[in-house]
Amino acid sequence: MKVIENKGGVDRRALDAAADALRAGDIIIYPTDTLYALGCDALNNRAIERLCRIKGLNPDKNFLSVVCSDLSQASEYAKIDNVAFRMLKHYLPGPFTFILPASTSLPKVFKGRKTVGIRIPDCEFARALAEELGHPIMTTSVPVVEDSSLDGAAVALALDSVADIVLAIDGGEGGNEGSTIIDCCDSRSPEILRQGSGLFEG
């Protein structure tokens, strides 16, 4: 597995390598504002299926999340009403995943699901990668390793035997807690499904 450092801001070499890997249908390890994540092109069905196999996810049962560059990109793939928009604008970028009604723009692996998790991390590299790709990144936190706050190189070493992961972006030490997950399908009655590193006040 190739490891490229991106220890501050957005290194163009790292960004180009990550975007090229996603476009090729590969799976990468990359930093977010919480845990390191596994990511693939959210519009590539075969890549999503491989990622789900690696993480042990069932697309029919587990909710799927995507990282977006901003709210404009998110609005192309999720149905965001005015109440939800104000909420997302207040909390994002940040360590939250908002569950929203899915739009028809997502690929067929999402078709059996009515919802999608939207992430806009407070991590410049993650947002820049979604912008460079031109659409969202299907994302899931890395499988648990001995120390979830390890840097990207250490995470890559721990997961090197996992098939299909070809690239890791080392953005320094990661967090040790996932995002806070908020169900906003009824935007007037949001519900915390998982308390993570983000403080949600409703």
Side-chain angles (χ1 to χ4, degrees), residues 68-133:
C68 299
S69 58
D70 53 27
L71 283 174
S72 177
Q73 188 179 79
S75 67
E76 298 179 36
Y77 300 94
K79 298 174 183 177
I80 307 174
D81 63 25
N82 290 337
V83 175
F85 181 85
R86 289 193 294 271
M87 189 182 309
L88 269 62
K89 189 174 182 180
H90 176 73
Y91 284 101
L92 300 176
F96 298 91
T97 300
F98 288 94
I99 308 301
L100 293 158
S103 77
T104 57
S105 301
L106 289 166
K108 66 180 181 180
V109 73
F110 286 86
K111 296 306 183 189
R113 304 194 56 80
K114 297 180 180 179
T115 62
V116 61
I118 295 293
R119 284 272 280 133
I120 304 177
D122 188 14
C123 172
E124 188 179 3
F125 183 86
R127 297 196 310 273
L129 183 55
E131 182 177 8
E132 179 70 18
L133 186 62

Side-chain angles (χ1 to χ4, degrees), residues 12-92:
R12 190 72 222 183
R13 184 175 69 100
L15 184 66
D16 288 345
D20 287 346
L22 294 177
R23 293 187 186 105
D26 292 326
I27 294 166
I28 68 169
I29 296 169
Y30 70 106
T32 73
D33 55 353
T34 55
L35 305 169
Y36 270 87
L38 297 173
C40 71
D41 183 341
L43 301 189
N44 184 321
N45 278 300
R46 296 180 72 178
I48 292 171
E49 289 167 357
R50 287 202 303 273
L51 180 53
C52 287
R53 284 198 300 271
I54 288 173
K55 189 63 185 293
L57 297 175
N58 182 338
D60 296 326
K61 295 181 180 179
N62 298 107
F63 80 85
L64 304 179
S65 295
V66 297
V67 162
C68 299
S69 58
D70 53 27
L71 283 174
S72 177
Q73 188 179 79
S75 67
E76 298 179 36
Y77 300 94
K79 298 174 183 177
I80 307 174
D81 63 25
N82 290 337
V83 175
F85 181 85
R86 289 193 294 271
M87 189 182 309
L88 269 62
K89 189 174 182 180
H90 176 73
Y91 284 101
L92 300 176

Side-chain angles (χ1 to χ4, degrees), residues 103-179:
S103 77
T104 57
S105 301
L106 289 166
K108 66 180 181 180
V109 73
F110 286 86
K111 296 306 183 189
R113 304 194 56 80
K114 297 180 180 179
T115 62
V116 61
I118 295 293
R119 284 272 280 133
I120 304 177
D122 188 14
C123 172
E124 188 179 3
F125 183 86
R127 297 196 310 273
L129 183 55
E131 182 177 8
E132 179 70 18
L133 186 62
H135 48 262
I137 305 162
M138 163 71 181
T139 192
T140 181
S141 58
V142 296
V144 175
V145 293
E146 289 185 8
D147 182 355
S148 58
S149 66
L150 294 173
D151 61 28
V155 171
L157 181 63
L159 300 180
D160 194 40
S161 62
V162 178
D164 290 324
I165 302 176
V166 301
L167 176 69
I169 304 300
D170 183 1
E173 186 172 298
N176 55 18
E177 190 174 17
S179 64

